[in-house]
Amino acid sequence: LGIVSERPPFADYQFGIYLAGLQGELPEHPISAAELERKAAEVMTPEALGYVAGGAGAEHTVRSNRDGFDRWRIVPRMLRDIGRRDLSVELFGRTLPAPIFLGPVGVQSIVHDDAEIATAKAAAATEIPMVLSTASSNTIEDVAEANGASPRWFQLYWPSDRELAASFIRRAEASGYEALVVTLDTWLLAWRPRDLSLAYLPFLKSIGIANYLSDPVFRAALEAPPEEDPQAAILHFVRVFSDPTVTWDDLAFLRDTTTMPILLKGILHPDDARRAIDHGMDGIVVSNHGGRQVDGAIATIDALSGVVSAVDGAVPVLMDGGIRSASDAFKALALGADAVLLGRLYMWALAVGGEAGVVALLRGLLAELDLTLALSGYRSFREVDAAALVRDS
Amino acid sequence: LGIVSERPPFADYQFGIYLAGLQGELPEHPISAAELERKAAEVMTPEALGYVAGGAGAEHTVRSNRDGFDRWRIVPRMLRDIGRRDLSVELFGRTLPAPIFLGPVGVQSIVHDDAEIATAKAAAATEIPMVLSTASSNTIEDVAEANGASPRWFQLYWPSDRELAASFIRRAEASGYEALVVTLDTWLLAWRPRDLSLAYLPFLKSIGIANYLSDPVFRAALEAPPEEDPQAAILHFVRVFSDPTVTWDDLAFLRDTTTMPILLKGILHPDDARRAIDHGMDGIVVSNHGGRQVDGAIATIDALSGVVSAVDGAVPVLMDGGIRSASDAFKALALGADAVLLGRLYMWALAVGGEAGVVALLRGLLAELDLTLALSGYRSFREVDAAALVRDS
Amino acid sequence: LGIVSERPPFADYQFGIYLAGLQGELPEHPISAAELERKAAEVMTPEALGYVAGGAGAEHTVRSNRDGFDRWRIVPRMLRDIGRRDLSVELFGRTLPAPIFLGPVGVQSIVHDDAEIATAKAAAATEIPMVLSTASSNTIEDVAEANGASPRWFQLYWPSDRELAASFIRRAEASGYEALVVTLDTWLLAWRPRDLSLAYLPFLKSIGIANYLSDPVFRAALEAPPEEDPQAAILHFVRVFSDPTVTWDDLAFLRDTTTMPILLKGILHPDDARRAIDHGMDGIVVSNHGGRQVDGAIATIDALSGVVSAVDGAVPVLMDGGIRSASDAFKALALGADAVLLGRLYMWALAVGGEAGVVALLRGLLAELDLTLALSGYRSFREVDAAALVRDS
Amino acid sequence: LGIVSERPPFADYQFGIYLAGLQGELPEHPISAAELERKAAEVMTPEALGYVAGGAGAEHTVRSNRDGFDRWRIVPRMLRDIGRRDLSVELFGRTLPAPIFLGPVGVQSIVHDDAEIATAKAAAATEIPMVLSTASSNTIEDVAEANGASPRWFQLYWPSDRELAASFIRRAEASGYEALVVTLDTWLLAWRPRDLSLAYLPFLKSIGIANYLSDPVFRAALEAPPEEDPQAAILHFVRVFSDPTVTWDDLAFLRDTTTMPILLKGILHPDDARRAIDHGMDGIVVSNHGGRQVDGAIATIDALSGVVSAVDGAVPVLMDGGIRSASDAFKALALGADAVLLGRLYMWALAVGGEAGVVALLRGLLAELDLTLALSGYRSFREVDAAALVRDS
């Protein structure tokens, strides 16, 4: 039952649910990821559901991201004193309560009216770090305010206008974001049949471009303020959103522009990981953008080990893609990830319950992770490596 | 047809069914495990069904326990005189009729009103040994009385109060339990979405704690008897149920407390198996608690060979997890298990038919095991080893 | 279209169907095995369907027999002059039109009123050899008469009464059966949940024991003729049906009793194949009795190569199990089988259309086999070996 | 978003869909292959659907052609300047806009009234080369006229009448077809249960034999013109359609008859690929005729690497079979194909939307291919080889 004298940091959330049950109270939000996803699909518009659930092409990679975890099995160890656990992880000098992030997801206003503000409050309530997307519905500043003293990072869609890029970075620094996560896999938007079938791209409706519309550099480039000529603003957004000609050498610009640690997100090949280190990057996020960019791309859990080997401890390696449970997270951490980022999983929670939904999801996931760590025979993820797993044959 | 002059010990149960069919009688209980499970799901409450059928997390391990058997195929041998078979197995000096146990399953009163009493009577009727759970609905003593002279073992959830542990062990010894099975994988209760969705934990409703409420040491620690203050008793149960700080060295306490053979249940890693022998343990149960503790844990049939190799015959190795048929049991025994334990399978039978349901299940399973042994070309499981199988490629 | 000047022996059946289509005529019986099975399930009684479709245990082996063929892929060769093909195969001095047999299936009267008589006529109409089961609904003699000059073999369930065995063999010889197929895997009837659920065993209702009731040795052992005391006859049948104590040395009895070639059916292990040759046997049928005896047994297509290697050309190796199409047959033949036997497939055809159904099935299968051979680049199965396949990775 | 200053050649089709969506316009035809197939199945007759969707036997190869692509995963590379891409490919001295062909599919009039004329116009509109089938509903000349200056090849079903073969070739040359694709795998029509169940073969109804009926050599062999005695013409077609006795040496006839490059279609074995080169052939199409000829044949994506290795750059290697998306095409190209041919995929588009449907399919596929190339880190397929993939383990 785990309700021993020394309370574990997260696992007692579970006991609270059972205690409430004695009073006839059932959990307000779904406990299992599958049920959460089902319920989210009920409450979301078809456009929003397609945008969030969908991926590139026939969505092979969306599925293989999830299925890839099945290739690995945990071999729990016994009799090791797992009375007290410590899930904390240290990244860039900051101690985080657990190796779990709310990953960067754009345009959250299509999921829930409270959008990134709800996410930021849920992150603060649980002290789980969030990564704000450039393409957020709420501004860098508003999200920071909602997020308070909680740790937060900023994800950059690197614009073709470098002044705009620098402006985004300055605003993030000024608002207390502590690291910069540069997305490398979305210089072009992929072929996404669900969105195309509905001819739905939220940005063209001015959704998810709050950071652009509020940016002094962006506004200075417009002939009229976006409030007066919204179409021209959208067109300018389309023009500056991305620069597909960027190469490794251009990273020097980012390095010169910020003192924040810089992580490259979208690395899947070991050689690219090595190159990131060679270019002075501070971290890597193994990611295929949730299967939203290259259909048929390698599952991130399959790409992880190669990247971890190549990096060989030089910088932190995070990963996202397909994480739906503490078991998935445990496997990624055992294979060498320093932390994992959630994506769709917390979007379902946001859709279903707003801030409270995300809090409930996180408390449950943290409890499950705490219990999985303990029941596998470990007190800290610092003790867990690939020896905790066997490959499923 | 197998109805030859020398009657086989178990297979003639089959002929009885066909003979009854001539009189128009159909079997009262489902013959196949799949049908039994379906029927059980109809008669159980949602809470009980969720508690018994469910597992940790997304129930990957619940499924892989079962699917793992498909990796192995039996290669039957021909023309070997299988007229008389002997399924008996000797364990700790006791000859058991077959290498099949009714494994420890708690709170059976949620499955059927007759609970462990029905199980004990069914065990006695078939001479199949049972393992009583600490978390039983009926007391050690009442179950022993119902079980009579039939062989029985006691499963221990090792409490944090060592006096209570010693008291349980003394009671088991006094009631004729012949071995102690110590569960190592449940110091904390895992994250089980089905139970959490219903906020259902039977123990908090005083179900499945009969051995505690009836125990002199437990009662002595209460300010008022549980009959007067049941809430305080439950709270004390929660407090003493488990000690997650237990380590290998603590096994000396058990060794000193009982002369019964001690088996460690929950071993999955070969190194832990070796360590168990080093600590003087008398047997091992390869188990992942039916996929109820660590989701994503290795299937027990996959873990078995490694443990058997590590143990190298020093002590008996039993296993549970996913056994739904004689074919499953045959494979586990061929891979080196000395016996297998049933769990959910007999819970479905208990739900559907109480004592009679369990008896029917066991007679059918024994008949099927007898036939499978014979038709594979063997007269005894002592002749069966991994050479009887091929790995499915 | 294959309708070239030199008509292929079997493929023109296809053209006939298309020509009939021009007149608005559709094939009377299903073309595909899947549709044939579906339609058969509609017309059969639940008892007959369960008996024929069902297998041992959870029917893993029933399924893996079929699925096993998917592990192999044909690599067709081009530009090899496949204008004329010869599907014939020589076995025991007899030239057979194709390497296809109607395998031994008992109690066919539960499938269709015309039972083995329909099968024998269909075999004769196509010149495809049949193997009559000891447990047939029609007698050795009646089936022979219906089968005429067509090649036929007799399958023996070796009774415990050797005089009866010798009598069966004498009758088969006298009726023109040309080989003896001794079943080794059914000394005991397996645990078959579908039959047990219906408490249905046809033999106990005097179905499928025609050869016993008509046998002079069998009748001489009865106090009253079966027409007067059918129950006593059934009981005697149960008593003498099988002798599970038979071992390799007992094969000398068969060798001494008949001059027919003797094939052992049920061999799955290479060592048993070698032993069969050492004991002077004339052929082997790799079989697991259609998954009806040992659930979890190796699929026959998986067992085939090992047996073929062990036999190394010394005697013919046939196989059955899971053949549903010419593609399956091609793979088995490429892996070294000299011929394949059909079981359930022709039962579905018998159920759906009696004699005409079986003829239609065979003509279709032969056409498909002829076309598959040709389109793979071969003119005869004598040219086809494992080099025609690749293992699916 | 990809809408940067330097417009990519194909990807901007995507943006057009989103822009139209702003006006409330949804794409007229399905975006995803799965949806396209569903919709096509609704509008086609059962006979046409069976003919196009169906394959040989139990259609294992139809499925494995598609599933085979899942064995490979793309490992995208980052930061490589993918601002401008060039999808063009040079084949036989002609620069083609992309390595995509409309493969040879016969009797398109059963799919859509506009048949091959629609296909030819769609090909011209997109500059994608088409390969016209000998068994087309429209004549070589009419298709050429509709196709205009766009590149086109002619697929030959090599008739038994060599004069007729030469006549087809002459007509193709005269009408501007630039290469000859000789099908090697259809000397006989395979066993196709869907067509046989409906007794449907379009050619016997004079559908799909336009090139024969319009051919001077063919007509000269008839006693009466086909307009007067259509049955006799069909019979003659059946007689001359194919010559299954053709062998490698006969290729000299083709070589002597045309100066067009000759590609052999249907090669699956490396040895046959080598032999094609030895016989002076100019290219190879790895194909199993869409699983329509040998059920159980190796998937073309599985056969590709062996053929590519054997050919070792001597001649171009194309492939067809199972291509349903740009991701599939990317994998085939990475494994060494110089181009891929579409089959059923564009039939669904033709069924749903005629010429416009095929144009929409191609524009979408080209956009997706352009994006997949770019997002995988490449600017040209000349840069892509097997190092872009990993085998799924």
Side-chain angles (χ1 to χ4, degrees), chain B residues 1-2 8 10-12 14 82 85 87 326 364-378, chain C residues 188-192 196 293-294:
Chain B
L1 287 157
F10 296 118
D12 56 356
Q14 180 190 38
I82 40 79
R85 284 86 60 198
L87 272 66
L365 189 68
L366 290 168
E368 190 182 10
L369 190 62
D370 185 15
L371 291 164
T372 300
L373 180 72
L375 292 167
S376 296
Y378 302 94
Chain C
L188 303 162
L189 194 69
W191 186 258
R192 297 184 185 163
L196 288 161
Q293 288 294 96
V294 175

Side-chain angles (χ1 to χ4, degrees), chain A residues 71 189-190 244 272 296 298 391, chain D residues 1 14 74 78 82 327 392-393:
Chain A
R71 301 169 193 259
L189 194 68
D272 284 350
I298 186 170
R391 183 123 182 124
Chain D
L1 287 153
Q14 181 189 40
I74 303 167
M78 297 298 131
I82 39 80
S327 171
D392 189 42
S393 54

Side-chain angles (χ1 to χ4, degrees), chain C residues 143-191:
Chain C
V143 170
E145 190 182 331
N147 194 230
S150 197
R152 58 185 163 272
W153 294 0
F154 180 68
Q155 175 272 342
L156 181 70
Y157 283 123
W158 188 345
S160 59
D161 175 351
R162 295 221 167 162
E163 282 311 300
L164 180 59
S167 179
F168 283 157
I169 292 170
R170 276 192 305 272
R171 291 168 63 192
E173 288 174 335
S175 296
Y177 293 79
E178 300 175 9
L180 187 70
V181 177
V182 185
T183 295
L184 303 183
D185 59 15
T186 313
W187 304 111
L188 303 162
L189 194 69
W191 186 258

Side-chain angles (χ1 to χ4, degrees), chain A residues 225-308:
Chain A
E227 296 74 20
E228 288 176 24
D229 188 350
Q231 292 306 324
I234 291 170
L235 192 63
H236 188 59
F237 159 76
V238 168
R239 208 175 295 123
V240 301
F241 171 76
S242 155
D243 179 1
T245 69
V246 164
T247 64
W248 291 98
D249 291 339
D250 295 298
L251 294 173
F253 163 76
L254 295 180
R255 187 73 294 167
D256 293 345
T257 304
T258 185
T259 56
M260 287 189 285
I262 305 174
L263 299 94
L264 298 188
K265 175 167 175 282
I267 298 290
L268 293 166
H269 196 290
D271 288 349
D272 284 350
R274 278 185 210 100
R275 209 157 178 184
I277 297 168
D278 292 345
H279 283 76
M281 296 295 102
D282 304 292
I284 281 170
V285 183
V286 173
S287 174
N288 54 30
H289 215 124
R292 299 165 73 79
Q293 287 295 95
V294 175
D295 192 34
I298 186 170
T300 49
I301 190 71
D302 292 336
L304 179 60
S305 295
V307 171
V308 165

Side-chain angles (χ1 to χ4, degrees), chain D residues 87-99 101 153 316 338 382:
Chain D
L87 272 65
S88 72
V89 59
E90 194 168 324
L91 279 176
F92 308 123
R94 176 69 119 135
T95 300
L96 305 170
F101 280 69
W153 293 0
D338 291 280
R382 280 176 286 276

